[in-house]
Amino acid sequence: QVQLVESGGGLVQAGGSLRLSCAASGRIFRVNAMGWYRQAPGKQRELVAFRINGGSTNYVDSVKGRFTISRDSAKNTAYLQMNSLKPDDTAVYYCNADIYTGLSVRQNYWGQGTQVTVSS
């Protein structure tokens, strides 16, 4: 089994910064991709940022230039550096990972979520 453990959420004023971490552990053969989604109250879950093995990244337009996703492959950990935060960024942020647990066994996993609240 694989577990994703997130940390780093909290309350911050508009314009401030937070750094989220997501550590993957368990039966991991290879991490194919890791990323972050978020869900605000009354809204659908949306992709925030994703990083594929090899370095390719993808961001939702609303966070481009403010958020940066990175990975420490040796630690199977992904980070989301969030700068210039806005009240609209308030949401529960979920880590997502696409992981090979064997040579040909590939599964998708979710973290438990971490709350980010940005006050105006």
Side-chain angles (χ1 to χ4, degrees):
Q1 265 294 8
V2 173
Q3 297 83 36
L4 302 181
V5 177
E6 299 138 335
S7 60
L11 172 64
V12 65
Q13 287 188 331
S17 299
L18 283 174
R19 188 192 193 208
L20 305 183
S21 299
C22 173
S25 63
R27 190 180 178 87
I28 298 172
F29 180 75
R30 180 170 64 89
V31 176
N32 187 50
M34 293 184 77
W36 297 89
Y37 287 72
R38 67 186 179 187
Q39 187 165 20
K43 295 187 177 180
Q44 289 189 333
R45 190 173 295 190
E46 66 169 354
L47 171 69
V48 177
F50 221 79
R51 184 182 174 96
I52 298 172
N53 208 17
S56 177
T57 57
N58 187 34
Y59 296 91
V60 66
D61 286 346
S62 61
V63 308
K64 286 180 180 177
R66 300 188 298 121
F67 290 12
T68 303
I69 188 170
S70 60
R71 257 182 63 188
D72 184 334
S73 298
K75 297 181 179 179
N76 289 326
T77 299
Y79 305 95
L80 186 67
Q81 178 66 43
M82 305 186 293
N83 298 327
S84 302
L85 282 161
K86 305 175 181 180
D88 284 349
D89 295 318
T90 295
V92 178
Y93 283 70
Y94 295 92
C95 179
N96 180 270
D98 192 48
I99 293 174
Y100 282 91
T101 57
L103 273 174
S104 57
V105 180
R106 177 180 169 183
Q107 290 183 287
N108 192 261
Y109 298 89
W110 289 94
Q112 78 284 0
T114 184
Q115 178 70 46
V116 171
T117 303
V118 184
S119 63
S120 56

Short mmCIF file of all heavy atoms in Angstrom, two decimals, residues 23-61:
data_model
loop_
_atom_site.label_atom_id
_atom_site.label_comp_id
_atom_site.label_asym_id
_atom_site.label_seq_id
_atom_site.Cartn_x
_atom_site.Cartn_y
_atom_site.Cartn_z
N ALA A 23 4.37 13.78 1.21
CA ALA A 23 5.33 12.69 1.25
C ALA A 23 4.65 11.37 0.95
O ALA A 23 3.66 11.01 1.61
CB ALA A 23 6.00 12.63 2.62
N ALA A 24 5.17 10.66 -0.03
CA ALA A 24 4.64 9.34 -0.38
C ALA A 24 5.49 8.26 0.26
O ALA A 24 6.72 8.35 0.27
CB ALA A 24 4.64 9.16 -1.89
N SER A 25 4.83 7.27 0.83
CA SER A 25 5.56 6.18 1.47
C SER A 25 4.83 4.87 1.23
O SER A 25 3.65 4.85 0.86
CB SER A 25 5.70 6.43 2.97
OG SER A 25 4.43 6.46 3.59
N GLY A 26 5.56 3.78 1.44
CA GLY A 26 4.96 2.46 1.25
C GLY A 26 5.62 1.71 0.12
O GLY A 26 6.80 1.90 -0.17
N ARG A 27 4.83 0.88 -0.54
CA ARG A 27 5.34 0.02 -1.60
C ARG A 27 5.43 0.83 -2.90
O ARG A 27 4.52 0.83 -3.72
CB ARG A 27 4.41 -1.17 -1.78
CG ARG A 27 4.96 -2.25 -2.69
CD ARG A 27 3.95 -3.40 -2.79
NE ARG A 27 4.40 -4.44 -3.68
CZ ARG A 27 5.17 -5.45 -3.31
NH1 ARG A 27 5.55 -5.56 -2.06
NH2 ARG A 27 5.53 -6.36 -4.18
N ILE A 28 6.57 1.51 -3.09
CA ILE A 28 6.76 2.37 -4.25
C ILE A 28 7.88 1.84 -5.10
O ILE A 28 9.02 1.74 -4.64
CB ILE A 28 7.08 3.82 -3.80
CG1 ILE A 28 5.90 4.40 -3.01
CG2 ILE A 28 7.39 4.69 -5.02
CD1 ILE A 28 6.19 5.74 -2.38
N PHE A 29 7.55 1.51 -6.34
CA PHE A 29 8.58 1.11 -7.30
C PHE A 29 9.11 2.35 -8.03
O PHE A 29 10.31 2.55 -8.15
CB PHE A 29 8.00 0.11 -8.29
CG PHE A 29 8.98 -0.37 -9.32
CD1 PHE A 29 9.97 -1.28 -8.99
CD2 PHE A 29 8.91 0.08 -10.63
CE1 PHE A 29 10.89 -1.72 -9.92
CE2 PHE A 29 9.82 -0.36 -11.59
CZ PHE A 29 10.81 -1.26 -11.22
N ARG A 30 8.16 3.19 -8.47
CA ARG A 30 8.55 4.43 -9.14
C ARG A 30 7.38 5.40 -9.11
O ARG A 30 6.24 5.02 -9.34
CB ARG A 30 8.96 4.15 -10.59
CG ARG A 30 9.39 5.38 -11.38
CD ARG A 30 10.02 4.96 -12.71
NE ARG A 30 9.07 4.28 -13.59
CZ ARG A 30 8.29 4.90 -14.46
NH1 ARG A 30 8.31 6.21 -14.55
NH2 ARG A 30 7.49 4.22 -15.25
N VAL A 31 7.68 6.65 -8.82
CA VAL A 31 6.66 7.71 -8.86
C VAL A 31 6.63 8.28 -10.28
O VAL A 31 7.64 8.77 -10.78
CB VAL A 31 6.94 8.82 -7.85
CG1 VAL A 31 5.92 9.94 -7.99
CG2 VAL A 31 6.93 8.27 -6.42
N ASN A 32 5.47 8.20 -10.92
CA ASN A 32 5.35 8.70 -12.28
C ASN A 32 5.04 10.19 -12.30
O ASN A 32 5.56 10.93 -13.14
CB ASN A 32 4.24 7.93 -12.99
CG ASN A 32 4.16 8.27 -14.45
OD1 ASN A 32 5.17 8.26 -15.16
ND2 ASN A 32 2.99 8.62 -14.92
N ALA A 33 4.19 10.64 -11.39
CA ALA A 33 3.80 12.04 -11.34
C ALA A 33 3.20 12.36 -9.98
O ALA A 33 2.62 11.48 -9.33
CB ALA A 33 2.78 12.36 -12.43
N MET A 34 3.35 13.61 -9.57
CA MET A 34 2.73 14.08 -8.33
C MET A 34 2.17 15.47 -8.56
O MET A 34 2.73 16.24 -9.35
CB MET A 34 3.72 14.10 -7.17
CG MET A 34 4.21 12.74 -6.73
SD MET A 34 5.29 12.76 -5.28
CE MET A 34 4.08 13.01 -3.97
N GLY A 35 1.11 15.78 -7.85
CA GLY A 35 0.52 17.09 -8.04
C GLY A 35 -0.45 17.44 -6.94
O GLY A 35 -0.60 16.72 -5.95
N TRP A 36 -1.11 18.58 -7.15
CA TRP A 36 -2.03 19.13 -6.16
C TRP A 36 -3.35 19.52 -6.83
O TRP A 36 -3.36 20.10 -7.92
CB TRP A 36 -1.42 20.36 -5.50
CG TRP A 36 -0.17 20.06 -4.75
CD1 TRP A 36 1.10 20.06 -5.23
CD2 TRP A 36 -0.08 19.68 -3.37
NE1 TRP A 36 1.99 19.71 -4.24
CE2 TRP A 36 1.29 19.47 -3.09
CE3 TRP A 36 -1.01 19.52 -2.34
CZ2 TRP A 36 1.74 19.10 -1.83
CZ3 TRP A 36 -0.56 19.16 -1.09
CH2 TRP A 36 0.80 18.95 -0.84
N TYR A 37 -4.42 19.18 -6.15
CA TYR A 37 -5.75 19.63 -6.51
C TYR A 37 -6.28 20.44 -5.33
O TYR A 37 -5.74 20.36 -4.22
CB TYR A 37 -6.68 18.44 -6.76
CG TYR A 37 -6.42 17.70 -8.05
CD1 TYR A 37 -5.30 16.90 -8.21
CD2 TYR A 37 -7.32 17.79 -9.12
CE1 TYR A 37 -5.07 16.22 -9.40
CE2 TYR A 37 -7.10 17.11 -10.31
CZ TYR A 37 -5.98 16.32 -10.43
OH TYR A 37 -5.76 15.64 -11.60
N ARG A 38 -7.34 21.20 -5.57
CA ARG A 38 -7.99 21.90 -4.46
C ARG A 38 -9.50 21.92 -4.66
O ARG A 38 -10.00 21.82 -5.78
CB ARG A 38 -7.47 23.33 -4.33
CG ARG A 38 -7.83 24.25 -5.48
CD ARG A 38 -7.13 25.60 -5.31
NE ARG A 38 -7.43 26.50 -6.41
CZ ARG A 38 -6.85 27.70 -6.57
NH1 ARG A 38 -5.93 28.12 -5.71
NH2 ARG A 38 -7.17 28.46 -7.61
N GLN A 39 -10.21 22.02 -3.53
CA GLN A 39 -11.66 22.08 -3.57
C GLN A 39 -12.13 23.12 -2.58
O GLN A 39 -11.92 22.97 -1.37
CB GLN A 39 -12.27 20.72 -3.26
CG GLN A 39 -13.77 20.68 -3.46
CD GLN A 39 -14.31 19.26 -3.50
OE1 GLN A 39 -13.67 18.31 -3.04
NE2 GLN A 39 -15.49 19.09 -4.07
N ALA A 40 -12.77 24.14 -3.09
CA ALA A 40 -13.35 25.19 -2.26
C ALA A 40 -14.80 24.82 -1.94
O ALA A 40 -15.41 24.05 -2.69
CB ALA A 40 -13.28 26.52 -2.97
N PRO A 41 -15.36 25.35 -0.88
CA PRO A 41 -16.74 25.03 -0.52
C PRO A 41 -17.70 25.33 -1.67
O PRO A 41 -17.66 26.42 -2.26
CB PRO A 41 -17.02 25.94 0.67
CG PRO A 41 -15.68 26.19 1.27
CD PRO A 41 -14.72 26.23 0.12
N GLY A 42 -18.52 24.35 -2.00
CA GLY A 42 -19.51 24.53 -3.06
C GLY A 42 -18.97 24.45 -4.46
O GLY A 42 -19.71 24.68 -5.43
N LYS A 43 -17.69 24.13 -4.60
CA LYS A 43 -17.09 24.07 -5.93
C LYS A 43 -16.52 22.68 -6.20
O LYS A 43 -16.29 21.91 -5.27
CB LYS A 43 -15.99 25.11 -6.07
CG LYS A 43 -16.48 26.55 -6.01
CD LYS A 43 -15.36 27.52 -6.32
CE LYS A 43 -15.86 28.95 -6.33
NZ LYS A 43 -14.76 29.92 -6.64
N GLN A 44 -16.29 22.40 -7.47
CA GLN A 44 -15.69 21.13 -7.84
C GLN A 44 -14.19 21.14 -7.58
O GLN A 44 -13.55 22.19 -7.58
CB GLN A 44 -15.96 20.84 -9.33
CG GLN A 44 -17.41 20.51 -9.63
CD GLN A 44 -17.59 20.03 -11.06
OE1 GLN A 44 -16.81 20.38 -11.94
NE2 GLN A 44 -18.60 19.22 -11.28
N ARG A 45 -13.65 19.95 -7.38
CA ARG A 45 -12.21 19.84 -7.20
C ARG A 45 -11.53 20.20 -8.52
O ARG A 45 -11.97 19.76 -9.59
CB ARG A 45 -11.85 18.42 -6.78
CG ARG A 45 -10.42 18.24 -6.34
CD ARG A 45 -10.19 16.85 -5.78
NE ARG A 45 -10.95 16.61 -4.56
CZ ARG A 45 -10.77 15.54 -3.78
NH1 ARG A 45 -9.85 14.65 -4.08
NH2 ARG A 45 -11.51 15.37 -2.70
N GLU A 46 -10.46 20.99 -8.43
CA GLU A 46 -9.76 21.41 -9.64
C GLU A 46 -8.26 21.14 -9.51
O GLU A 46 -7.69 21.18 -8.41
CB GLU A 46 -9.98 22.90 -9.92
CG GLU A 46 -9.39 23.85 -8.91
CD GLU A 46 -9.40 25.30 -9.36
OE1 GLU A 46 -9.75 25.60 -10.52
OE2 GLU A 46 -9.02 26.15 -8.53
N LEU A 47 -7.64 20.90 -10.64
CA LEU A 47 -6.20 20.72 -10.69
C LEU A 47 -5.53 22.06 -10.43
O LEU A 47 -5.91 23.08 -11.03
CB LEU A 47 -5.78 20.19 -12.06
CG LEU A 47 -4.28 20.15 -12.33
CD1 LEU A 47 -3.61 19.11 -11.47
CD2 LEU A 47 -4.03 19.88 -13.80
N VAL A 48 -4.54 22.07 -9.56
CA VAL A 48 -3.77 23.28 -9.29
C VAL A 48 -2.43 23.21 -10.02
O VAL A 48 -2.07 24.12 -10.77
CB VAL A 48 -3.54 23.46 -7.77
CG1 VAL A 48 -2.66 24.68 -7.51
CG2 VAL A 48 -4.86 23.56 -7.03
N ALA A 49 -1.69 22.15 -9.77
CA ALA A 49 -0.37 22.01 -10.37
C ALA A 49 0.01 20.55 -10.40
O ALA A 49 -0.36 19.79 -9.49
CB ALA A 49 0.67 22.81 -9.59
N PHE A 50 0.77 20.17 -11.42
CA PHE A 50 1.18 18.78 -11.56
C PHE A 50 2.58 18.74 -12.14
O PHE A 50 2.94 19.56 -12.98
CB PHE A 50 0.21 18.04 -12.49
CG PHE A 50 -0.11 16.67 -11.99
CD1 PHE A 50 -1.03 16.50 -10.96
CD2 PHE A 50 0.51 15.55 -12.52
CE1 PHE A 50 -1.33 15.24 -10.50
CE2 PHE A 50 0.20 14.29 -12.04
CZ PHE A 50 -0.72 14.14 -11.03
N ARG A 51 3.36 17.77 -11.66
CA ARG A 51 4.71 17.60 -12.16
C ARG A 51 4.92 16.14 -12.54
O ARG A 51 4.76 15.24 -11.72
CB ARG A 51 5.74 18.01 -11.11
CG ARG A 51 7.19 17.96 -11.60
CD ARG A 51 8.14 18.32 -10.48
NE ARG A 51 9.53 18.14 -10.88
CZ ARG A 51 10.30 19.10 -11.34
NH1 ARG A 51 9.83 20.32 -11.46
NH2 ARG A 51 11.55 18.84 -11.67
N ILE A 52 5.29 15.93 -13.78
CA ILE A 52 5.51 14.58 -14.29
C ILE A 52 6.98 14.22 -14.14
O ILE A 52 7.85 15.10 -14.21
CB ILE A 52 5.07 14.50 -15.76
CG1 ILE A 52 3.57 14.79 -15.87
CG2 ILE A 52 5.39 13.14 -16.37
CD1 ILE A 52 3.09 14.93 -17.28
N ASN A 53 7.27 12.95 -13.93
CA ASN A 53 8.64 12.47 -13.86
C ASN A 53 9.39 12.96 -15.10
O ASN A 53 8.96 12.75 -16.21
CB ASN A 53 8.64 10.94 -13.80
CG ASN A 53 9.84 10.42 -13.07
OD1 ASN A 53 10.51 11.15 -12.35
ND2 ASN A 53 10.13 9.15 -13.25
N GLY A 54 10.51 13.62 -14.89
CA GLY A 54 11.23 14.22 -16.00
C GLY A 54 11.17 15.72 -15.98
O GLY A 54 11.95 16.39 -16.66
N GLY A 55 10.24 16.27 -15.18
CA GLY A 55 10.24 17.70 -14.96
C GLY A 55 9.14 18.51 -15.58
O GLY A 55 8.97 19.68 -15.25
N SER A 56 8.35 17.94 -16.47
CA SER A 56 7.28 18.70 -17.10
C SER A 56 6.23 19.09 -16.05
O SER A 56 5.83 18.27 -15.23
CB SER A 56 6.63 17.87 -18.20
OG SER A 56 5.55 18.55 -18.78
N THR A 57 5.79 20.35 -16.08
CA THR A 57 4.82 20.84 -15.10
C THR A 57 3.61 21.44 -15.80
O THR A 57 3.68 21.84 -16.98
CB THR A 57 5.44 21.90 -14.19
OG1 THR A 57 5.94 22.98 -14.99
CG2 THR A 57 6.58 21.33 -13.36
N ASN A 58 2.52 21.50 -15.05
CA ASN A 58 1.28 22.07 -15.57
C ASN A 58 0.60 22.82 -14.43
O ASN A 58 0.54 22.30 -13.30
CB ASN A 58 0.38 20.95 -16.10
CG ASN A 58 -0.85 21.50 -16.80
OD1 ASN A 58 -0.80 22.54 -17.43
ND2 ASN A 58 -1.96 20.80 -16.69
N TYR A 59 0.09 24.01 -14.72
CA TYR A 59 -0.56 24.84 -13.69
C TYR A 59 -1.90 25.33 -14.21
O TYR A 59 -2.05 25.64 -15.40
CB TYR A 59 0.28 26.06 -13.35
CG TYR A 59 1.62 25.77 -12.72
CD1 TYR A 59 2.75 25.62 -13.51
CD2 TYR A 59 1.76 25.66 -11.35
CE1 TYR A 59 3.99 25.37 -12.95
CE2 TYR A 59 2.99 25.42 -10.76
CZ TYR A 59 4.10 25.27 -11.57
OH TYR A 59 5.32 25.02 -10.99
N VAL A 60 -2.85 25.46 -13.29
CA VAL A 60 -4.10 26.13 -13.66
C VAL A 60 -3.77 27.61 -13.85
O VAL A 60 -2.88 28.16 -13.18
CB VAL A 60 -5.17 25.92 -12.56
CG1 VAL A 60 -4.79 26.60 -11.26
CG2 VAL A 60 -6.53 26.36 -13.05
N ASP A 61 -4.46 28.26 -14.77
CA ASP A 61 -4.13 29.64 -15.12
C ASP A 61 -4.13 30.58 -13.92
O ASP A 61 -3.30 31.49 -13.82
CB ASP A 61 -5.11 30.17 -16.17
CG ASP A 61 -4.85 29.59 -17.56
OD1 ASP A 61 -3.78 29.00 -17.77
OD2 ASP A 61 -5.74 29.72 -18.43
#
